[in-house]
Amino acid sequence: MKYNGTTRFLVFFLITSILVVSCGDSHKKTILVPNGTEINISDFDVFIKKKLSQYEVPGLGIAILNGDQIVYSKTFGVSSLKNQKKVTKETIFEAASLSKPLFAYFAMKQMDKGLIALDTPLYEYVDYQDIQHDERHRKITARTVLSHTTGLPNWRSENDTLKFIFPPGDTYAYSGEGFQYLARALAQVNHVDRDGLFEIFKQDIAIPLKAERLYYDWNEDIAKHKAWGHKNGKEESNGPSDFRVAEFGSAHNLHTDIDSYARFIGAMISGAHISDESYAELLKKQVVIPEGDYEKAVLGNTHWGLAFGMKNTPNGWMYSHGGNNGDFTAFTIFYPDAKFGLVLFSNSEKIMFSNFTNEIASFLRTDLHMDMKALEKILAKYE
């Protein structure tokens, strides 16, 4: 086919236009925030560095999403105050309780596969000797676990009998014990042990999300790249946890990098890799959060879904979850309607116990505001 001068010009113009658009998208200078406005990335970088110094945050990983796309992802500070090793994209953090929403997503995937049902009692799938002494265990389902309405405590004391604090389904009370029970059930229906469940998680979730550094098991990658935790300005540890290591740590043991977890939040914004029915259940209001609970008093959340706290805002429902392992903290929020997500990881207590996160959230025009006075009152009860 021969091209005349006009045709050659049009082809050149079309190719050039495509290249300009492509290059422009990969070098965005602004970020779209929940209220529909844009913020300048350079201004945000300056702001973060200022706040890291002000609040003495050792290290930070931060990612921002517009839709399911990561539009901002950077690391700041040091992995260790002692050796001054920099935090990089390779750095692995403890996700703490951000383990739970990812595990909830994994559980819904098992429901999509027909292996477990949301409202079938878990005792029909697995014998759990720790609670068989109480007939109320027959009312615990995957739904009550994921909505934190099992009636089980967050964690029992070491060597203590696992006891109900209220009947299953009565009200909301945050429980890691419930998640550990559900992990046992998922292993049983898949006919695998703990290590086998790690592999199924990898195949069902980590690989499809292109987030293969979502780890519930300790491995060489974590050992090589994990940050050191810090508390009260002092360096702690970067080794494996010794807490319930014989179990699949669905409630607490996730290790990951900033981008891997951000890809999961992108899936929560878009509903990727799970059925429409499961996605709707994850986002649906499941239970009212009672007055005085941390979620309501500190975060202003009024409901819990099957993975996150929920708060209705002028920008649509905002979903949130925090994580605190003492020397590692994490926080995430996302808006399905506004197509916005934020993920924060730190190797210190600062994300949960200072105004650092509030200031970041405010700069990004989000509706997150932690009531630090309410938090102080709650913490005082345990002193």
Side-chain angles (χ1 to χ4, degrees), residues 34-66:
N35 67 2
T37 61
E38 294 186 343
I39 63 163
N40 184 279
I41 287 176
S42 296
D43 292 343
F44 187 50
D45 286 343
V46 171
F47 180 81
I48 290 179
K49 291 174 184 177
K50 178 181 177 182
K51 295 304 168 184
L52 286 169
S53 176
Q54 178 183 340
Y55 289 102
E56 298 179 332
V57 180
L60 179 76
I62 177 170
I64 298 171
L65 298 104
N66 288 158

Side-chain angles (χ1 to χ4, degrees), residues 102-103 105-107 109-110 113 186 190 192-221 248 254-256 260 264 273:
L102 179 62
F103 182 77
Y105 181 80
F106 175 48
K109 184 67 175 181
Q110 304 315 294
K113 291 162 66 177
L186 294 191
N190 278 286
V192 296
D193 59 9
R194 180 200 65 169
D195 293 345
L197 198 59
F198 292 149
E199 183 60 28
I200 291 171
F201 169 81
K202 178 180 177 181
Q203 297 299 323
D204 283 357
I205 303 299
I207 291 175
L209 289 178
K210 297 180 179 177
E212 294 183 52
R213 296 181 93 209
L214 292 168
Y215 300 128
Y216 282 97
D217 57 328
W218 184 264
N219 58 47
E220 292 182 3
D221 188 23
F248 185 107
L254 180 69
H255 288 77
T256 189
S260 293
F264 160 57
H273 305 298

Side-chain angles (χ1 to χ4, degrees), residues 91-311:
T91 301
I92 294 224
F93 295 89
E94 292 180 13
S97 284
L98 289 196
S99 306
K100 294 183 180 74
L102 179 62
F103 182 77
Y105 181 80
F106 175 48
M108 299 307 287
K109 184 67 175 181
Q110 304 315 294
M111 293 174 204
D112 287 346
K113 291 162 66 177
L115 294 174
I116 194 169
L118 197 55
D119 295 307
T120 297
L122 295 186
Y123 81 87
E124 295 189 18
Y125 300 115
V126 63
D127 291 328
Y128 189 26
Q129 297 294 327
D130 292 19
I131 55 174
Q132 285 186 350
H133 60 88
D134 192 319
E135 283 297 307
R136 289 179 292 183
H137 81 276
R138 292 174 171 269
K139 294 183 178 180
I140 294 178
T141 65
R143 187 188 299 277
T144 62
V145 168
L146 300 179
S147 62
H148 291 289
T149 58
T150 60
L152 296 174
N154 187 15
W155 298 111
R156 75 187 101 173
S157 298
E158 189 174 0
N159 299 321
D160 273 3
T161 301
L162 183 54
K163 298 177 181 178
F164 286 90
I165 55 178
F166 58 78
D170 268 18
T171 189
Y172 168 92
Y174 194 79
S175 175
E177 292 284 359
F179 272 71
Q180 295 306 112
Y181 182 16
L182 181 56
R184 289 171 179 263
L186 294 191
Q188 184 68 28
V189 298
N190 278 286
H191 308 291
V192 296
D193 59 9
R194 180 200 65 169
D195 293 345
L197 198 59
F198 292 149
E199 183 60 28
I200 291 171
F201 169 81
K202 178 180 177 181
Q203 297 299 323
D204 283 357
I205 303 299
I207 291 175
L209 289 178
K210 297 180 179 177
E212 294 183 52
R213 296 181 93 209
L214 292 168
Y215 300 128
Y216 282 97
D217 57 328
W218 184 264
N219 58 47
E220 292 182 3
D221 188 23
I222 302 173
K224 181 178 179 180
H225 294 106
K226 184 179 176 181
W228 278 258
H230 300 80
K231 191 172 183 180
N232 298 322
K234 296 180 180 180
E235 187 168 297
E236 302 274 328
S237 168
N238 78 332
S241 169
D242 60 359
F243 182 68
R244 298 181 61 162
V245 294
E247 303 174 58
F248 185 107
S250 59
H252 62 285
N253 205 38
L254 180 69
H255 288 77
T256 189
D257 61 48
I258 188 67
D259 282 358
S260 293
Y261 202 87
R263 290 188 184 101
F264 160 57
I265 295 302
M268 286 304 307
I269 294 172
S270 68
H273 305 298
I274 57 173
S275 68
D276 291 345
E277 292 79 11
S278 289
Y279 182 57
E281 285 286 358
L282 282 168
L283 299 184
K284 187 171 72 175
K285 291 179 287 185
Q286 302 286 337
V287 61
V288 174
I289 296 173
E291 295 292 335
D293 185 90
Y294 166 85
E295 287 290 327
K296 191 162 191 178
V298 178
L299 299 175
N301 289 332
T302 57
H303 295 80
W304 196 270
L306 288 184
F308 296 90
M310 300 173 60
K311 174 182 176 180

